[in-house]
Amino acid sequence: MKKITEWTTLEGKLVRLIPLSMDHYSELHELIEKDKLDELWYTSVPSVTELQRDIEHKLQLQQKGLMLPFSIISKANNRVVGITTFMNIDSQTPRLEIGSTWYTKEVQRTGINTETKYLLLKYALEDLQCIAVEFRTHILNQTSRRAIERLGAKLDGILRNHRLTTTGQKRDTCVYSITDYDWGSVKLHLEWLMKKY
């Protein structure tokens, strides 16, 4: 796997993915507070009081080569609209997970998510030469599961009692992946979807 650096920037028609930094703290704080994103029980969006620590933690994982976090910038208004990461990076295999993703409500279920995932998958599978890219979500998060399946990812399995949620509930985790073998057809599918936006 090519070395992942903090300088990686990915750009499409709708979005620009730039390395996460504390410079984005105020905008991210505003999004969480406005949309009450941290109140969603089935996903992990930091609260406004935990946001600084969350960003610092992601940046520490980046320094260890275990994560590459991005701020998602809408090109329509040049504003931060969310966060996504390459995480659980296994440079030996090589493979990684796209996760810890969240968006402000105004851009959810728009072309921004499709293009963001396309840019990340293209970079991971073509530039970094990963053999697989994973997605994980709560078994009951039907919105997320449909979005992952819409990308063309296949369900690998379900990790039962995989972890505890922030509320202490036991979580079953659905694990999906797109392999380098799948990428040709998935890429065509995503490019077709993006023509609508």
Side-chain angles (χ1 to χ4, degrees), residues 44-178:
S44 298
V45 177
S47 68
V48 289
T49 57
E50 297 168 341
L51 178 61
Q52 181 173 338
R53 188 167 60 246
D54 182 74
I55 294 172
E56 289 169 350
H57 178 66
K58 284 178 169 60
L59 296 178
Q60 287 167 3
L61 290 175
Q62 178 181 328
Q63 288 176 346
K64 295 176 182 175
L66 301 175
M67 177 179 278
L68 183 58
F70 295 93
S71 288
I72 304 165
I73 311 293
S74 169
K75 292 177 71 173
N77 56 16
N78 204 35
R79 302 255 319 153
V80 176
V81 293
I83 286 180
T84 192
T85 75
F86 284 146
M87 56 192 284
N88 297 322
I89 296 168
D90 175 357
S91 56
Q92 297 302 311
T93 302
R95 63 184 294 138
L96 52 77
E97 178 185 346
I98 295 173
S100 292
T101 303
W102 58 266
Y103 299 94
T104 181
K105 285 183 181 174
E106 69 189 60
V107 303
Q108 290 175 12
R109 289 179 284 286
T110 70
I112 282 181
N113 181 54
T114 305
E115 188 176 75
T116 296
K117 294 300 191 295
Y118 172 81
L119 292 170
L120 293 168
L121 284 163
K122 187 173 189 295
Y123 186 71
L125 292 161
E126 295 182 11
D127 294 290
L128 299 179
Q129 299 178 338
C130 289
I131 62 172
V133 174
E134 270 185 27
F135 300 88
R136 296 184 178 208
T137 191
H138 193 299
I139 194 170
L140 297 178
N141 187 347
Q142 294 301 323
T143 301
S144 179
R145 291 184 67 181
R146 282 193 300 272
I148 292 168
E149 290 165 4
R150 186 170 169 264
L151 294 173
K154 295 182 174 63
L155 180 64
D156 294 324
I158 299 169
L159 303 176
R160 302 186 65 216
N161 283 355
H162 175 231
R163 53 186 265 205
L164 296 177
T165 65
T166 53
T167 59
Q169 300 293 316
K170 295 173 186 168
R171 165 180 151 156
D172 289 355
T173 298
C174 292
V175 182
Y176 292 85
S177 69
I178 294 172

Side-chain angles (χ1 to χ4, degrees), residues 118 122 126 151 178 182-194:
Y118 172 81
K122 187 173 189 295
E126 295 182 11
L151 294 173
I178 294 172
D182 304 323
W183 176 234
S185 57
V186 169
K187 181 179 181 180
L188 286 174
H189 170 66
L190 293 176
E191 288 174 348
W192 177 78
L193 286 177
M194 289 188 300

Side-chain angles (χ1 to χ4, degrees), residues 28-40:
L28 293 166
H29 185 284
E30 183 183 319
L31 297 180
I32 294 168
E33 193 168 53
K34 176 173 64 82
D35 290 342
K36 310 257 187 284
L37 297 170
D38 56 320
E39 295 180 5
L40 300 172

